[in-house]
């Protein structure tokens, strides 16, 4: 539980009313901290509630281009190990994966299940997307079928295409959704499909922060603060260690991108 409100109200109470003000401020701040903690606890998804639909979706992504590759199977197996699934849970995850790779499988219901699990917790949406992106990119530049599922998932989890592009950039892939597509549902806009491309220069720091190169320093700082708050691993509660490590990796990428931009622009 965070006590930031308690500390701030105590500080302001001390400035205004000395000792008595500090005590009053501490009480008010503690009440606010408890309310925030209660709201956050109610909004926290049940740990493990995403495993079945997640592996079902991974199976659907793997099969969407017509075949499931060894690389995609290996990713699913590694994920089971990294998530610390026991024998029974691994069996359930494998069954879910096989369900998803059935011909003509409709991903809509599974995506809705993940959306319901995430609820209002946007910070839980990003680890789910991170896992799916790993399967989407298993064989390099992905075909449109895989990207279509990824975009549908992002849209359902209320993650914009600019934010999705930033997640792809953290993986070292440059991707532009195309004119008229940002911020809209999957399939919006027109034009031919351009797959994400592996960048030989490494992650684009501006793409990682989700800002244009023409953005001013204030906008870059604001984007950085928002991102580092959303991707901080301490926000993830009791999710598996693998999810927390993914958040730590994203936070490192965000910090590295911000440092590169600061160095290039010469601001602190």
């Amino acid at each position: 539980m965070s006590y930031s409100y308690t500390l701030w109200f105590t500080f302001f109470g001390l400035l205004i009313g000395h000792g008595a003000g500090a005590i009053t401020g501490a009480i008010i701040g503690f009440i606010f901290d408890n309310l925030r903690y209660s709201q956050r606890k109610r909004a926290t998804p049940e740990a493990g509630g995403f495993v079945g639909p997640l592996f079902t979706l991974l199976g659907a992504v793997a099969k969407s281009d017509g075949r499931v590759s060894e690389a995609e199977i290996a990713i699913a197996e590694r994920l089971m190990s990294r998530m610390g699934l026991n024998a029974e849970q691994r069996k359930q995850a494998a069954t879910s994966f096989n369900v998803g790779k059935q011909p003509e499988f409709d991903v809509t219901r599974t995506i809705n299940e993940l959306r319901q699990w995430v609820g209002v917790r946007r910070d839980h949406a990003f680890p789910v997307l991170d896992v799916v992106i790993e399967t989407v990119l298993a064989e390099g530049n992905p075909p449109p079928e895989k990207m279509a599922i990824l975009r549908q998932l992002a849209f359902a989890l209320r993650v914009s295409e600019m934010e999705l592009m930033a997640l792809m950039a953290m993986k070292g892939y440059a991707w532009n959704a195309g004119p008229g597509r940002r911020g809209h549902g999957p399939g919006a806009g027109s034009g031919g499909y351009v797959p994400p491309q592996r960048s030989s220069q490494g992650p684009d720091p501006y793409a990682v922060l989700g800002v244009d190169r023409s953005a001013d320093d204030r906008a870059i700082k604001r984007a950085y603060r928002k991102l580092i708050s959303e991707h901080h691993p301490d926000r993830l509660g009791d999710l598996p260690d693998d999810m927390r490590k993914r958040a730590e990796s994203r936070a490192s990428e965000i910090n590295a991108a911000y440092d590169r931009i600061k160095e290039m622009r010469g601001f602190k």
Side-chain angles (χ1 to χ4, degrees):
M1 175 174 167
S2 171
Y3 294 97
S4 57
Y5 280 120
T6 303
L7 294 174
W8 276 109
F9 275 89
T10 301
F11 174 73
F12 284 116
L14 183 63
L15 291 178
I16 296 171
H18 302 291
I23 294 173
T24 302
I27 294 172
I28 295 173
F30 185 73
I31 292 172
F32 275 103
D33 280 324
N34 267 290
L35 287 172
R36 182 174 63 173
Y37 175 74
S38 298
Q39 291 171 349
R40 188 176 181 84
K41 189 173 182 180
R42 287 195 299 269
T44 300
E46 179 185 354
F50 64 98
V51 173
L54 178 60
F55 277 91
T56 301
L57 190 64
L58 295 183
V61 170
K63 184 65 175 180
S64 62
D65 61 349
R67 59 178 291 273
V68 179
S69 69
E70 293 182 3
E72 291 162 336
I73 294 173
I75 285 174
E77 291 176 343
R78 285 199 303 269
L79 181 60
M80 294 179 198
S81 298
R82 292 200 303 255
M83 291 177 66
L85 303 185
N86 59 36
E88 182 61 29
Q89 291 170 328
R90 290 176 69 96
K91 182 178 178 180
Q92 292 174 351
T95 299
S96 297
F97 187 89
N98 288 331
V99 168
K101 69 179 188 179
Q102 295 305 307
E104 307 301 325
F105 178 78
D106 185 0
V107 300
T108 302
R109 179 176 177 179
T110 298
I111 287 176
N112 284 336
E113 290 176 354
L114 288 171
R115 178 181 59 79
Q116 292 171 6
W117 178 81
V118 168
V120 298
R121 295 293 303 272
R122 267 176 51 87
D123 53 318
H124 281 61
F126 294 114
V128 171
L129 281 167
D130 191 82
V131 170
V132 177
I133 288 173
E134 189 173 358
T135 299
V136 167
L137 300 177
E139 299 176 290
N141 300 341
E145 295 85 0
K146 292 181 179 180
M147 286 301 298
I149 296 175
L150 177 62
R151 294 175 71 191
Q152 184 178 346
L153 175 64
F155 182 69
L157 300 184
R158 296 181 294 277
V159 173
S160 71
E161 294 212 308
M162 177 68 81
E163 292 170 315
L164 184 56
M165 283 187 269
L167 290 174
M168 301 289 284
M170 293 179 199
K171 302 288 186 182
Y173 278 78
W175 175 61
N176 192 315
R181 295 192 178 191
R182 295 185 185 180
H184 299 277
S190 58
Y193 171 73
V194 180
Q197 301 289 326
R198 185 78 178 178
S199 174
S200 60
Q201 305 296 322
D204 179 350
Y206 289 93
V208 169
L209 296 190
V211 296
D212 291 327
R213 290 182 173 271
S214 59
D216 60 27
D217 295 350
R218 181 178 298 178
I220 290 171
K221 292 177 182 179
R222 186 166 57 247
Y224 166 74
R225 287 193 294 267
K226 179 177 181 292
L227 275 176
I228 205 65
S229 172
E230 290 182 333
H231 292 271
H232 200 286
D234 289 347
R235 295 174 58 93
L236 296 181
D238 58 353
L239 284 186
D241 286 342
D242 177 66
M243 297 295 196
R244 297 181 65 84
K245 289 177 181 177
R246 289 173 185 273
E248 290 171 358
S249 178
R250 287 193 302 277
S252 296
E253 288 286 354
I254 292 165
N255 283 321
Y258 186 56
D259 289 341
R260 285 182 61 191
I261 293 175
K262 286 195 299 183
E263 183 179 356
M264 289 187 290
R265 292 195 173 206
F267 69 83
K268 295 183 178 180

